């Protein structure tokens, strides 16, 4: 094979496995200048470096990834990228974590078919496991809430004198900024808590309150 071998590494801003993927690429023999590393958050999956890389792949080129989830976020996207690289770009793929997913060998119809079947099976299992994890998490949260467990930050006890200040603010006798300063609170926090307090009294603050 006379083409080039490229490595693609993707990590999120919170992951710390870039070194592990890089070491695997080097061990496989990918040249340093042919390794593309892309750092993306979980919400951003545009992958401009990846798109540029795969669009430049040719018939004799090889794309190396550490695991199949580097190709996409879910079952459908992984299969779509696999088909694009192997069938449209006519390039080969090597998945280091799964030796069966190596299309450099057996590029005939049977070899390609076997690799496609293995990929679909593994991708489906991975997607199913992710969905099961999310379901178990949702069920765990629901069960915890049913037991009275509260999630999120614990509400802080208002400072001494808060109710008096909130009542004074409600009656228009003091501005929110002055009240917050006296209570050593931020103005926004005082306003939010004061409005909650007034709502708990089933009293709507009168118009023209000083802010």
């Amino acid at each position: 094979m006379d083409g080039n071998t490229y490595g693609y590494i993707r990590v999120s801003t919170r992951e710390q496995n870039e070194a592990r993927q890089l070491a695997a690429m080097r061990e496989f023999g990918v040249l340093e200048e042919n390794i593309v590393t892309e750092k993306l958050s979980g919400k951003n999956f545009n992958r401009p470096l990846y798109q540029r890389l795969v669009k430049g792949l040719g018939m004799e080129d090889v794309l190396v990834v550490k695991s199949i989830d580097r190709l996409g976020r879910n079952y459908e996207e992984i299969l779509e990228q696999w088909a694009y690289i192997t069938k449209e770009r006519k390039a080969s793929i090597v998945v280091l974590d799964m030796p069966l997913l190596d299309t450099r060998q057996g590029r005939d119809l049977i070899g390609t078919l076997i690799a496609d079947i293995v990929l679909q099976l593994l991708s489906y299992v991975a997607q199913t496991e992710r969905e099961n994890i999310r379901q178990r998490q949702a069920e765990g949260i629901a069960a915890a809430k049913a037991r009275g467990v509260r999630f999120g930050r614990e509400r802080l006890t208002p400072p001494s004198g808060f109710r008096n200040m909130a009542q004074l603010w409600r009656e228009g006798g003091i501005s929110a900024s002055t009240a917050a300063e006296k209570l050593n609170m931020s103005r926004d926090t005082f306003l939010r808590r004061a409005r909650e307090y007034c709502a708990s009294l089933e009293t709507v603050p009168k118009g023209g309150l000083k802010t």
Side-chain angles (χ1 to χ4, degrees), residues 4 6 9 41 47 70 75 91 97 148 152 164 184 192 196 207:
N4 294 314
Y6 299 94
I9 296 173
S41 67
R47 302 188 298 170
R70 302 302 89 179
Y75 170 67
D97 284 351
N164 291 335
N184 197 25
R192 184 179 69 255
E196 291 173 355

Side-chain angles (χ1 to χ4, degrees), residues 97-113:
D97 284 351
M98 300 174 184
L100 285 174
L101 298 181
D102 182 348
T103 64
R104 293 175 302 166
Q105 306 298 326
R107 292 174 65 88
D108 56 9
L109 181 60
I110 295 178
T112 301
L113 178 61

Side-chain angles (χ1 to χ4, degrees), residues 3-203:
N4 294 314
T5 298
Y6 299 94
Y8 177 69
I9 296 173
R10 175 173 59 82
V11 295
S12 77
T13 54
R14 289 177 293 180
E15 289 177 331
Q16 300 297 325
N17 63 350
E18 178 182 349
R20 179 173 57 85
Q21 294 185 58
L22 187 58
M25 296 292 171
R26 290 168 176 163
E27 183 178 351
F28 184 81
V30 183
L31 298 178
E32 201 78 27
E33 59 267 26
N34 287 347
I35 298 176
V36 175
T37 301
E38 197 154 41
K39 295 185 178 182
L40 299 167
S41 67
K43 295 181 179 180
N44 179 15
F45 208 74
N46 294 326
R47 302 188 298 170
L49 298 182
Y50 171 83
Q51 298 296 339
R52 188 184 311 162
L53 174 61
V54 297
K55 287 180 180 178
L57 292 174
M59 184 176 293
E60 301 298 324
D61 292 333
V62 178
L63 176 64
V64 182
V65 293
K66 186 72 168 62
S67 56
I68 59 172
D69 61 1
R70 302 302 89 179
L71 295 179
R73 290 172 295 184
N74 51 48
Y75 170 67
E76 292 80 8
E77 194 168 61
I78 290 171
L79 294 180
E80 177 185 338
Q81 290 302 310
W82 183 274
Y84 175 71
I85 293 169
T86 60
K87 294 178 173 59
E88 292 191 36
R89 305 308 306 174
K90 306 294 184 183
S92 297
I93 299 177
V94 175
V95 181
L96 298 178
D97 284 351
M98 300 174 184
L100 285 174
L101 298 181
D102 182 348
T103 64
R104 293 175 302 166
Q105 306 298 326
R107 292 174 65 88
D108 56 9
L109 181 60
I110 295 178
T112 301
L113 178 61
I114 292 174
D116 285 351
I117 291 173
V118 172
L119 172 72
Q120 291 195 40
L121 176 60
L122 293 173
S123 298
Y124 174 77
V125 170
Q127 177 73 9
T128 300
E129 179 59 21
R130 283 193 292 270
E131 291 175 355
N132 288 339
I133 290 174
R134 285 195 293 267
Q135 181 178 351
R136 288 194 294 269
Q137 289 174 337
E139 291 172 350
I141 291 173
K145 287 182 176 179
R147 296 194 305 268
V149 177
R150 292 187 177 182
F151 294 89
R153 293 184 301 177
E154 184 178 355
R155 287 184 62 86
L156 298 177
T157 302
S160 175
F162 170 78
R163 291 185 178 182
N164 291 335
M165 285 294 178
Q167 182 72 19
L168 188 59
W169 167 79
R170 183 177 67 84
E171 295 171 352
I174 193 173
S175 70
S177 298
T178 302
E181 183 178 356
K182 289 181 178 294
L183 294 170
N184 197 25
M185 301 173 68
S186 72
R187 175 181 172 278
D188 290 342
T189 299
F190 172 80
L191 280 172
R192 184 179 69 255
R193 300 296 295 273
R195 286 165 179 159
E196 291 173 355
Y197 173 69
C198 291
S200 71
L201 299 177
E202 298 183 351
T203 303

